[in-house]
Amino acid sequence: MNLNDIKKVACVGVGTIGASWATLYLWKGFNVAVQDVNVEALESARRLISSNFKFLEEKGLLSSESRKKAEGNATYTVNLKEALTGAQFIQESAFESYEVKQNIVREMDEYAPEAIYATSTSGLLVSEIQKMSKYPGRCITAHPFNPPHLLPLVELVKGKETSEETVLLCYDFYKSINKEPIIINKEIPGHVASRIQMALWRECADLVMNGVCSVKDVDAACCYGPGLRWALMGPHLVWDLSNPKGIAATIEHIGPQMNVWLPDMANWEKLPDGVGELMAEGLKEETAGTTPGELKAWRDDKLVEILKQVGKL
Ligand SMILES: NC(=O)c1ccc[n+]([C@@H]2O[C@H](COP(=O)([O-])OP(=O)(O)OC[C@H]3O[C@@H](n4cnc5c(N)ncnc54)[C@H](O)[C@@H]3O)[C@@H](O)[C@H]2O)c1
């Protein structure tokens, strides 16, 4: 299959992530089968997709005419066969369960034997899912960051039997819709970005628990310092620019300090009891006088501006 052959995308399972993927594919001009086993979930996806489009139109990211056309390219169904038939690309975002996902690839063998199967799974191994398919080479993990219609990252994880052709096609496909795919060569728990997020959070929470600073201040340390640069370049490129001789010189320069900090940093292997409640208590200071709705609206508003600046919208 070639990139240009992809005309119809089936979004299978349209809760939080699937509805957002469906918004993206409709926005990018595909015919999209929006499918869920649950009628209420399907109706809720319809509302979510409509409110996502309202937001995109309000932000000037598409005209009302294009919105109407895009939304008109969706078909809603609870019938998997109907959704899969004629689709070249399946973005599966059903429940996080091997049984559920393995059943979907079995059905795909029958109704869409040539289509790509891309699972959004955050934690399952595509190797285990593809075992149930007669065509395992076309199965891959394509893990987004929420919400996928806005955030560009897509982690492509190869299973044991994923073909190189599938990896390359998916890479080109996501690039063609202005996403930023990365290729993960080995299946590991949590893929890559969630592990990075977790490593940072472990240190942040540990600093709070040790009384070094408040939740509000540790959040400020992330977003008003390194976070602003990280929206533009990753930690390696940042360090490469920190020394005229590049990253190796930066690491050599700060190496003696790093060797003092590292043994003092958080290394917990399981969550400390009560850590969630403790962070929630600390967060009250940061959120005082606002509502979650106001904070989300502010975040999405600014996110759109940043994405525009980095050419991702
Ligand atoms: N929530 C996140 O932040 C996030 C981020 C990245 C990836 N993911 C992954 O995306 C997938 C979906 O997560 P979510 O948070 O959207 O879950 P969700 O519970 O909001 O949605 C799952 C949907 O799948 C439907 N479903 C269940 N079985 C089905 C089947 N056999 N066929 C079709 N639909 C079926 C459910 O009715 C539900 O609407 C998971 O694999 C998850 O790991 C989630």
mmCIF file of all heavy atoms in Angstrom, residues 14 35-44 77-78 95:
data_model
loop_
_atom_site.group_PDB
_atom_site.id
_atom_site.type_symbol
_atom_site.label_atom_id
_atom_site.label_comp_id
_atom_site.label_asym_id
_atom_site.label_seq_id
_atom_site.Cartn_x
_atom_site.Cartn_y
_atom_site.Cartn_z
ATOM 1 N N VAL A 14 -14.058 4.856 20.453
ATOM 2 C CA VAL A 14 -13.970 6.326 20.394
ATOM 3 C C VAL A 14 -14.342 6.959 21.738
ATOM 4 O O VAL A 14 -15.261 7.756 21.840
ATOM 5 C CB VAL A 14 -14.797 6.906 19.215
ATOM 6 C CG1 VAL A 14 -14.064 6.687 17.908
ATOM 7 C CG2 VAL A 14 -16.195 6.315 19.156
ATOM 8 N N GLN A 35 -16.309 4.290 15.145
ATOM 9 C CA GLN A 35 -16.971 3.063 15.608
ATOM 10 C C GLN A 35 -16.736 2.828 17.090
ATOM 11 O O GLN A 35 -15.629 3.048 17.595
ATOM 12 C CB GLN A 35 -16.433 1.875 14.798
ATOM 13 C CG GLN A 35 -17.170 0.566 15.002
ATOM 14 C CD GLN A 35 -16.656 -0.258 16.188
ATOM 15 O OE1 GLN A 35 -15.598 0.023 16.736
ATOM 16 N NE2 GLN A 35 -17.410 -1.267 16.596
ATOM 17 N N ASP A 36 -17.788 2.406 17.764
ATOM 18 C CA ASP A 36 -17.665 1.993 19.165
ATOM 19 C C ASP A 36 -18.714 0.926 19.420
ATOM 20 O O ASP A 36 -19.787 0.955 18.809
ATOM 21 C CB ASP A 36 -17.883 3.189 20.112
ATOM 22 C CG ASP A 36 -17.250 2.966 21.482
ATOM 23 O OD1 ASP A 36 -17.802 2.151 22.258
ATOM 24 O OD2 ASP A 36 -16.216 3.606 21.783
ATOM 25 N N VAL A 37 -18.411 -0.005 20.326
ATOM 26 C CA VAL A 37 -19.406 -1.046 20.633
ATOM 27 C C VAL A 37 -20.560 -0.498 21.457
ATOM 28 O O VAL A 37 -21.626 -1.093 21.508
ATOM 29 C CB VAL A 37 -18.787 -2.234 21.419
ATOM 30 C CG1 VAL A 37 -18.038 -3.157 20.491
ATOM 31 C CG2 VAL A 37 -17.933 -1.777 22.579
ATOM 32 N N ASN A 38 -20.332 0.626 22.077
ATOM 33 C CA ASN A 38 -21.316 1.164 23.014
ATOM 34 C C ASN A 38 -22.025 2.376 22.390
ATOM 35 O O ASN A 38 -21.376 3.365 22.010
ATOM 36 C CB ASN A 38 -20.529 1.568 24.280
ATOM 37 C CG ASN A 38 -21.392 2.134 25.357
ATOM 38 O OD1 ASN A 38 -22.308 2.914 25.091
ATOM 39 N ND2 ASN A 38 -21.098 1.763 26.580
ATOM 40 N N VAL A 39 -23.360 2.305 22.292
ATOM 41 C CA VAL A 39 -24.127 3.364 21.618
ATOM 42 C C VAL A 39 -23.937 4.711 22.330
ATOM 43 O O VAL A 39 -23.780 5.749 21.674
ATOM 44 C CB VAL A 39 -25.638 3.024 21.607
ATOM 45 C CG1 VAL A 39 -26.431 4.081 20.883
ATOM 46 C CG2 VAL A 39 -25.876 1.688 20.949
ATOM 47 N N GLU A 40 -23.936 4.660 23.664
ATOM 48 C CA GLU A 40 -23.772 5.934 24.397
ATOM 49 C C GLU A 40 -22.397 6.536 24.147
ATOM 50 O O GLU A 40 -22.254 7.757 23.995
ATOM 51 C CB GLU A 40 -23.971 5.719 25.894
ATOM 52 C CG GLU A 40 -25.429 5.665 26.264
ATOM 53 C CD GLU A 40 -25.649 5.106 27.655
ATOM 54 O OE1 GLU A 40 -24.758 5.248 28.511
ATOM 55 O OE2 GLU A 40 -26.724 4.518 27.865
ATOM 56 N N ALA A 41 -21.380 5.659 24.096
ATOM 57 C CA ALA A 41 -20.014 6.154 23.832
ATOM 58 C C ALA A 41 -19.948 6.783 22.443
ATOM 59 O O ALA A 41 -19.277 7.802 22.229
ATOM 60 C CB ALA A 41 -19.006 5.016 23.958
ATOM 61 N N LEU A 42 -20.684 6.172 21.507
ATOM 62 C CA LEU A 42 -20.686 6.697 20.133
ATOM 63 C C LEU A 42 -21.329 8.091 20.102
ATOM 64 O O LEU A 42 -20.831 9.013 19.448
ATOM 65 C CB LEU A 42 -21.467 5.719 19.249
ATOM 66 C CG LEU A 42 -21.213 5.792 17.761
ATOM 67 C CD1 LEU A 42 -19.759 5.526 17.413
ATOM 68 C CD2 LEU A 42 -22.103 4.778 17.034
ATOM 69 N N GLU A 43 -22.421 8.235 20.848
ATOM 70 C CA GLU A 43 -23.096 9.545 20.889
ATOM 71 C C GLU A 43 -22.207 10.580 21.580
ATOM 72 O O GLU A 43 -22.124 11.738 21.169
ATOM 73 C CB GLU A 43 -24.447 9.424 21.612
ATOM 74 C CG GLU A 43 -25.550 8.891 20.723
ATOM 75 C CD GLU A 43 -25.532 9.492 19.308
ATOM 76 O OE1 GLU A 43 -25.599 10.734 19.173
ATOM 77 O OE2 GLU A 43 -25.422 8.733 18.324
ATOM 78 N N SER A 44 -21.533 10.129 22.629
ATOM 79 C CA SER A 44 -20.653 11.071 23.329
ATOM 80 C C SER A 44 -19.475 11.467 22.427
ATOM 81 O O SER A 44 -19.025 12.629 22.433
ATOM 82 C CB SER A 44 -20.252 10.417 24.650
ATOM 83 O OG SER A 44 -18.999 10.743 25.024
ATOM 84 N N THR A 77 -20.990 4.344 13.597
ATOM 85 C CA THR A 77 -21.577 3.004 13.607
ATOM 86 C C THR A 77 -21.109 2.188 14.818
ATOM 87 O O THR A 77 -20.011 2.424 15.338
ATOM 88 C CB THR A 77 -21.211 2.233 12.309
ATOM 89 O OG1 THR A 77 -21.794 0.938 12.357
ATOM 90 C CG2 THR A 77 -19.710 2.091 12.106
ATOM 91 N N VAL A 78 -21.967 1.238 15.229
ATOM 92 C CA VAL A 78 -21.539 0.293 16.263
ATOM 93 C C VAL A 78 -21.066 -1.008 15.597
ATOM 94 O O VAL A 78 -20.570 -1.906 16.273
ATOM 95 C CB VAL A 78 -22.674 -0.050 17.270
ATOM 96 C CG1 VAL A 78 -22.949 1.098 18.199
ATOM 97 C CG2 VAL A 78 -23.926 -0.525 16.568
ATOM 98 N N PHE A 95 -10.765 -0.320 24.681
ATOM 99 C CA PHE A 95 -10.280 -0.544 26.048
ATOM 100 C C PHE A 95 -8.879 -1.150 26.048
ATOM 101 O O PHE A 95 -8.522 -1.917 25.160
ATOM 102 C CB PHE A 95 -11.212 -1.497 26.797
ATOM 103 C CG PHE A 95 -12.512 -0.875 27.227
ATOM 104 C CD1 PHE A 95 -13.646 -1.669 27.378
ATOM 105 C CD2 PHE A 95 -12.614 0.481 27.499
ATOM 106 C CE1 PHE A 95 -14.848 -1.115 27.788
ATOM 107 C CE2 PHE A 95 -13.817 1.042 27.912
ATOM 108 C CZ PHE A 95 -14.937 0.244 28.054
#
